[in-house]
C-alpha cells in the first residue's frame, strides 16, 4: 500500500507535462499544438488563437471510447478512485507479474523513469509498454485507471494509440 495512504494523508502526484513551443508529439502525427498570433490594430494587445492540439501530446487520457465504439467518452469516466498504486518497474516490457493483486478501483501508475526523457528525441524510441497479458490482468482485477510515464502503453512499434 502506498505510504501516503497508510498515514491517511492525501498526496498530490502531478503528472502534468507542460505544453509549450518546444512540446513534442508522437512522430508522424500533428504538432503538439499550434498558436497563431494576429495583429488587432492595437499596439498594446494581440489575439492568440490556439489550434491543432494533438490528442496524444503531453499528459492525456484515453477513454474506453478510444478503443471500443460502445465505450464511454472522457466526460463519462467515473473519477472516484480509492487508492493510487505507484509501481516501480524496470525494463522495456511491463509484464503481468508487475500488476498488483489488490488494484480494484485503483489508479495503477507504472513508474519506469522514462519521464526523464520528456522533450528529447529519445522519448519516442524503445519506450516501456504494457504486455497484452498485463493489460488483460489489469482489466480482470478491475483497475480503475492505468498510467505510465511513456508516450503509449502499446509500445513503440504500435505507433500512436
Amino acid at each position: 500500500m502506498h505510504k501516503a495512504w497508510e498515514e491517511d494523508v492525501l498526496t498530490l502526484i502531478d503528472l502534468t507535462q507542460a505544453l509549450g513551443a518546444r512540446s513534442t508529439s508522437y512522430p508522424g502525427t500533428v504538432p503538439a499544438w499550434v498558436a497563431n498570433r494576429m495583429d488587432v490594430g492595437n499596439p498594446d494587445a494581440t489575439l492568440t488563437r490556439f489550434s491543432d492540439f494533438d490528442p496524444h501530446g503531453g499528459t492525456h487520457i484515453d477513454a474506453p471510447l478510444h478503443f471500443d465504439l460502445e465505450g464511454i467518452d472522457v466526460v463519462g469516466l467515473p473519477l472516484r478512485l480509492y487508492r493510487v498504486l505507484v509501481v516501480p518497474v524496470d525494463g522495456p516490457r511491463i509484464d503481468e507479474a508487475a500488476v498488483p493483486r489488490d488494484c480494484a478501483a485503483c489508479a495503477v501508475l507504472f513508474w519506469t523513469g522514462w519521464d526523464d526523457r520528456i522533450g528529447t528525441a529519445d522519448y519516442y524510441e524503445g519506450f516501456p509498454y504494457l504486455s497484452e497479458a498485463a493489460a488483460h490482468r489489469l482489466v480482470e482485477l478491475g483497475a480503475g485507471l492505468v498510467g505510465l510515464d511513456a508516450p503509449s502503453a502499446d509500445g513503440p512499434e504500435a505507433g500512436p494509440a
Side-chain angles (χ1 to χ4, degrees):
M1 187 175 290
H2 192 272
K3 186 174 175 62
W5 290 98
E6 289 176 320
E7 296 171 1
D8 200 26
V9 175
L10 179 62
T11 300
L12 177 66
I13 302 172
D14 185 359
L15 302 174
T16 307
Q17 289 183 34
L19 289 176
R22 297 179 191 254
S23 294
T24 58
S25 291
Y26 208 95
T29 63
V30 299
W33 65 289
V34 175
N36 297 306
R37 292 198 174 150
M38 294 168 254
D39 182 2
V40 292
N42 180 339
D44 297 323
T46 62
L47 176 65
T48 304
R49 179 176 170 254
F50 294 97
S51 63
D52 298 325
F53 278 93
D54 176 10
H56 293 100
T59 306
H60 69 280
I61 186 168
D62 289 331
L65 180 60
H66 186 75
F67 303 99
D68 178 2
L69 292 176
E70 302 296 319
I72 58 175
D73 63 13
V74 173
V75 174
L77 287 176
L79 293 179
R80 181 177 296 162
L81 302 169
Y82 299 103
R83 289 186 301 144
V84 175
L85 303 175
V86 179
V87 182
V89 292
D90 289 321
R93 181 180 151 127
I94 301 168
D95 289 316
E96 185 177 3
V99 176
R101 291 184 182 141
D102 62 342
C103 66
C106 293
V108 182
L109 304 176
F110 293 101
W111 180 68
T112 68
W114 204 257
D115 56 312
D116 289 344
R117 293 172 174 86
I118 291 172
T120 71
D122 292 344
Y123 184 61
Y124 297 100
E125 298 294 327
F127 56 82
Y129 63 95
L130 285 175
S131 70
E132 188 173 336
H136 285 289
R137 184 73 173 148
L138 287 157
V139 170
E140 177 184 302
L141 294 173
L145 178 143
V146 177
L148 63 154
D149 56 351
S152 174
D154 296 325
E157 291 77 32

